Amino acid sequence: MNTKLSRRVLLQGILATTTALATMRAFPAMAQQSGGTLNVGLTYELDTMNTYSTGFLADAQHTVIEGLIAPDKDARYVPVLAKEVPTLDNGGIVLSDDGSKMTITYHLQENVKWHDGEPFTSADVKFTWEAVKDPAFIAESKDGTQDIDSIDLPDDYTVVCNYNTVKPNFASTLFTFGIMPKHLLEGTDLNTSSYNETPVGTGPFKVAEFVRGQYVVLDKNTDYWRTAENGDALPYLDRLVFRIVTDSNTLLTQLQSGELDMAVSVPYGRASQLEGVEGLEIIVGPQLSWGHLDFNFRNELLADVNVRKAVAHAINRETLIRVQGGFPIAIKSLVLPIFDLYDDATPEYAYDPAAANALLDDAGYARGGDGIREKDGKRLSFAFVIQSGRADDENVQQVIIAQLKEIGIEATADNKAGVAYREARYNGGYDLIYGRWITSADPVYSTFYGSEGENNGQGYSNPELDVVFARLENTLDAEERKAAASEMQRIIAEDLPAIALTQGVSVIAKPVELKNFVPNPTNMTNFVDTKEWYLEG
Amino acid sequence: MSLGFIIRRILGAIPLLLGISVILFVIIQLAPGGPLDMYAENPSVSKEALAQIAARYGLDQPVPVQYFMWLKAIVVGDWGYSIRTGRPVLDEILLRLGPTLQLGGLAMIISLIIAVPVGMISAARRGSKLDGTVTVLSFAGISTPVFWLALLLQLLFSVQLGWLPSAGYQSIGDGSFLDRLRYIIMPASVLSLATVASWSRFIRSGMIDVLNQDYIRTAYAKGRGEKAVLFLHALRNAMIPAVTVIAVDFVTIISGAVITETVFAWPGIGRLFMESMNGRDYPMLMGLMMMGSLAIVAANIIADFCYAALDPRIRYD
């Protein structure tokens, strides 16, 4: 009996060793390793798995569904379900004879299957447009649906969108966010459909389980249509789990205990706590958001460009960054450096209180008894609005108030909550206002600084700039756009309707073994391209 | 306790709940911010879009109109739709009620198991070192912040020892009784801390009152042992004042689990409340607060009934 058992154990041992050796031999030949689960912490409540309905970023959702194109790490569009990004050069975009309309043609990948095995076709793209446009569907954004008059489907793999306008930023809306399966959703009520819990997509991961308030489990799509360059089947990871952990203390504890492997939004003030945690590394990624100080032009003192320039010279961005944990990045243009349209030659107002004082002296603003400047009996005293309850913003406000005081300008905190803040911002209920904008990969700047801009609450109007906006936002010609964007940045920097201060960043904690992860700065989230992520070792 | 009393007591709760609902509605409206806050930094959500969303949820109406719209819906059994998730308020609440009842129930059991004997022994040995120690510990328990204790336990049992999961409800794909027990034990212990402390004080003082009564002296005189006197003669009467507190505290445990549930990522009512508050989800907040008020009113009525059942001397007309 004993002998028999020993022999069996021995045999098993030999078998195991052989397998292990064989595997070890196989590893060096493989570029990446397959398998493994990645546990990701979400700091917000996952409200729905439908990317068109959520008010939050759609981190988990973008691993499941795919769009025709997607922004990459540099906020440039790359093809996904479309074979190429339509442009004027490749014939994907055609302008009407009078240049007032355009037609965009997408050629689709032909070997794509939905998670249920049905083929993906052009009909799904048209259905997505119709479904999102439908007034009965409560969507987070219907942006872009109204710009399309009709969609023609010459065959299963060609989509022709007939626009009623020329829209250079077409890519940042609609089809980029994801395509919905017509064969499953046609005739259903999208507001109450089970699609909102378990969406069927074409992406590298499938929804295995969505438990409200707890987690969503995403399993590898073994039938995924894309392969790696070396021929490997994708995705590499077996499983992605998004766990909802809204308390930042607990998030940190779980990263330390190994219950979570990754978090993409570590609070600025807490990042240092994760230093030295074994197996974790901290990455700082850019984000398409910028902090800005705006002036209200209805106040005649602020309508004086000398005052605005003095304010610009008085603010030390380094201090602003320091009070925000050292994370944001100083900027000088409202176009973030990551964009192709950014022009590094944009004029800059260096921190220079002496220059600020000189500007105000020359313009006739003399210091009064309390150190605050005045001219013709009018004091340089302003109401300074921010959205209350945001610690970072409040710190920034305090710094700016102190720095303005140095040059004889009084700013008084007038913080407003929620609706009141937005009311003030839209209607100009402030003298100075600080806030942050978060944009897509293709922002429209006229909304902020155009005379008729939707988000221009400051009463700013510059006909010269309006002409530049018209050029920038109605042309598809890359060179023309670049030239117009440079012109726009120069005018805004010189005329200063607002001062661009800092760019936001995302602080990401990830396992050291996770490879091929590249932070994505866009609203398509860091999870827009997970297919080649793998765990090493 | 007549049927008439029960019906009168329940009917009497209706105007009370109506009054509560008006107050809650006004408080929510007065709170800074609103449901559209989440769009504050997003420039692609235009003024028009905001107006449309506001109109869809009736947020553009005057506050009294909004209140009556809400009241009308509630009366016909429609609790409205969450602004944040778009799902029916009642569905969301029911989904989260189970985990909360489990957590609150276990916390209550832990509290009773510890508080009753501790309170009794403390009373029987009052003035002793043991009594003094219990008193100090009770006050320490009442004054310990929940999030601090939670963090401490998480660091000890999850990060250092690795024995228990630091947060969550159950393992993915498991959900067996033992698995859930591993998840619930820390939050339930934390949640029971304050109640253990306050209930043991209540039972101690109730016990002291009872132990001074003549019938207890009689029981001792008849030669009954201490255990028998304490458990058979004194406990029932000592529990009477504690019952009301316990009944009402159970509701407090459930509605007060906001911090515990958030810290332990427990998918219950408390966290739903927190999320709804952060998102200024008016319909959800009203639903949750009305549910809470309903529970408190119901708990008070039940406490009254229990009181009458425990003490035959108490009679209602």
Side-chain angles (χ1 to χ4, degrees), chain B residues 57-80:
Chain B
Y57 289 99
L59 300 170
D60 54 343
Q61 303 288 326
V63 176
V65 176
Q66 283 190 44
Y67 173 75
F68 283 106
M69 276 164 55
W70 173 82
L71 188 66
K72 203 174 117 192
I74 286 286
V75 170
V76 299
D78 171 12
W79 290 53

Side-chain angles (χ1 to χ4, degrees), chain A residues 45 213 250 259 390 425 454, chain B residues 40-41 47 166 263 271 275:
Chain A
E45 188 70 21
T250 309
E259 289 162 274
R390 301 181 163 211
R425 201 188 66 204
E454 176 88 38
Chain B
E41 289 180 15
K47 255 188 280 187
S166 61
V263 172
R271 221 179 84 209
E275 289 150 17

Side-chain angles (χ1 to χ4, degrees), chain B residues 101-149:
Chain B
L101 287 176
Q102 286 175 29
L103 182 62
L106 185 62
M108 188 164 173
I109 292 169
I110 294 176
S111 304
L112 281 174
I113 289 176
I114 300 175
V116 172
V118 165
M120 282 170 65
I121 294 166
S122 229
R125 304 265 182 280
R126 66 179 180 280
S128 69
K129 271 188 189 162
L130 181 79
D131 184 32
T133 312
V134 168
T135 306
V136 171
L137 285 179
S138 299
F139 285 114
I142 291 171
S143 36
T144 304
V146 167
F147 60 87
W148 181 81
L149 181 72

Side-chain angles (χ1 to χ4, degrees), chain A residues 45 47 138 140 212-214 241 244 247 250 254 259 390 417-419 422 425-426 436 438 448 454-455, chain B residues 32 36-37 39-41 43 45-48 56 84 87 95-96 165-167 169 172 262-263 271 275:
Chain A
E45 188 70 21
D47 49 357
I138 303 174
E140 153 71 8
R212 222 160 253 288
Q214 295 182 53
V241 179
I244 299 160
D247 184 83
T250 309
Q254 295 218 305
E259 289 162 274
R390 301 181 163 211
V419 183
R422 263 199 328 278
R425 201 188 66 204
Y426 279 133
R436 282 168 285 158
I438 294 176
F448 309 114
E454 176 88 38
N455 286 296
Chain B
L36 308 180
D37 267 10
Y39 304 106
E41 289 180 15
V45 181
S46 63
K47 255 188 280 187
E48 278 71 26
R56 190 185 298 142
R84 214 168 40 82
R87 281 163 39 93
L95 184 75
R96 303 297 190 95
S166 61
Y169 180 65
I172 289 161
T262 306
V263 172
R271 221 179 84 209
E275 289 150 17

Side-chain angles (χ1 to χ4, degrees), chain A residues 135-147:
Chain A
F137 173 49
I138 303 174
E140 153 71 8
S141 168
K142 291 176 183 265
D143 249 16
T145 53
Q146 301 303 328
D147 301 325

Side-chain angles (χ1 to χ4, degrees), chain A residues 9-331:
Chain A
V9 168
L10 190 69
L11 277 172
Q12 278 175 348
I14 291 169
L15 191 67
T17 316
T18 322
T19 319
L21 282 172
T23 325
M24 278 166 70
R25 279 172 56 92
F27 272 156
M30 282 171 63
Q32 277 87 27
Q33 291 159 343
S34 265
T37 298
L38 190 67
N39 288 292
V40 184
L42 283 185
T43 47
Y44 55 85
E45 188 70 21
L46 194 60
D47 49 357
T48 167
M49 282 297 288
N50 184 340
T51 183
Y52 283 102
S53 307
T54 185
F56 295 100
L57 289 176
D59 295 281
Q61 290 87 333
H62 285 308
T63 66
V64 179
I65 60 160
E66 291 176 317
L68 298 186
I69 56 179
D72 68 1
K73 63 180 174 40
D74 302 315
R76 290 198 187 99
Y77 287 98
V78 292
V80 183
L81 290 174
K83 283 181 177 160
E84 57 184 359
V85 178
T87 61
L88 282 174
D89 289 342
N90 66 21
I93 304 179
V94 176
L95 286 173
S96 64
D97 291 343
D98 65 351
S100 68
K101 293 178 183 177
M102 66 179 186
T103 302
I104 295 185
T105 305
Y106 294 97
H107 297 285
L108 307 180
Q109 295 286 350
E110 291 167 19
N111 55 342
V112 182
K113 283 194 179 110
W114 291 100
H115 291 163
D116 64 358
E118 290 293 311
F120 158 77
T121 69
S122 55
D124 296 311
V125 179
K126 186 175 181 184
F127 169 76
T128 301
W129 170 62
E130 288 165 344
V132 177
K133 193 177 65 159
D134 185 352
F137 173 49
I138 303 174
E140 153 71 8
S141 168
K142 291 176 183 265
D143 249 16
T145 53
Q146 301 303 328
D147 301 325
I148 299 175
D149 270 345
S150 63
I151 291 181
D152 301 325
L153 307 177
D155 61 61
D156 275 358
Y157 300 103
T158 309
V159 180
V160 183
C161 306
N162 302 305
Y163 278 74
N164 51 33
T165 176
V166 174
K167 191 148 174 156
N169 69 329
F170 70 92
S172 60
T173 58
L174 204 60
F175 300 132
T176 305
F177 282 95
I179 304 299
M180 293 192 265
K182 180 183 179 185
H183 68 282
L184 289 173
L185 297 176
E186 194 171 33
T188 63
D189 178 0
L190 255 181
N191 295 314
T192 53
S193 167
S194 63
Y195 178 85
N196 299 333
E197 315 254 306
T198 47
V200 169
T202 58
F205 293 91
K206 304 199 259 194
V207 183
E209 200 185 2
F210 171 32
V211 185
R212 222 160 253 288
Q214 295 182 53
Y215 55 77
V216 55
V217 180
L218 304 153
D219 280 343
K220 168 193 217 149
N221 173 10
T222 48
D223 213 11
Y224 188 52
W225 61 279
R226 281 195 278 193
T227 50
E229 267 180 35
N230 64 4
D232 283 355
L234 292 176
Y236 289 118
L237 290 172
D238 274 350
R239 191 171 249 209
L240 263 172
V241 179
F242 287 88
R243 292 172 191 270
I244 299 160
V245 183
T246 52
D247 184 83
S248 58
N249 274 322
T250 309
L251 184 83
L252 262 57
T253 306
Q254 295 218 305
L255 285 167
Q256 286 167 326
S257 69
E259 289 162 274
L260 284 178
D261 306 316
M262 188 172 180
V264 291
S265 48
V266 176
Y268 287 171
R270 312 302 297 275
S272 58
Q273 265 175 270
L274 292 174
E275 276 168 21
V277 174
E278 206 183 324
L280 271 190
E281 63 183 328
I282 302 289
I283 289 182
V284 177
Q287 224 175 28
L288 300 187
S289 78
W290 80 93
H292 51 97
L293 181 74
D294 296 358
F295 302 97
N296 189 345
F297 281 72
R298 294 176 195 87
N299 183 325
E300 57 179 287
L301 292 170
L302 291 171
D304 180 347
V305 71
N306 292 309
V307 174
R308 302 200 297 276
K309 285 184 175 169
V311 171
H313 275 306
I315 296 176
N316 185 352
R317 288 175 177 75
E318 293 310 315
T319 318
L320 299 185
I321 292 165
R322 219 167 39 240
V323 298
Q324 295 180 82
F327 284 102
I329 303 161
I331 51 168

Side-chain angles (χ1 to χ4, degrees), chain A residues 390-450:
Chain A
R390 301 181 163 211
D392 279 338
D393 291 9
E394 282 164 2
N395 289 339
V396 165
Q397 185 187 39
Q398 287 306 315
V399 170
I400 293 178
I401 287 176
Q403 291 178 342
L404 290 184
K405 198 171 173 196
E406 300 232 321
I407 61 162
I409 294 179
E410 181 179 65
T412 315
D414 180 18
N415 302 349
K416 296 181 194 297
V419 183
Y421 172 79
R422 263 199 328 278
E423 287 266 337
R425 201 188 66 204
Y426 279 133
N427 303 325
Y430 57 85
D431 295 320
L432 302 172
I433 191 166
Y434 171 81
R436 282 168 285 158
W437 289 123
I438 294 176
T439 69
S440 65
D442 213 344
V444 176
Y445 295 99
S446 66
T447 183
F448 309 114
Y449 308 111

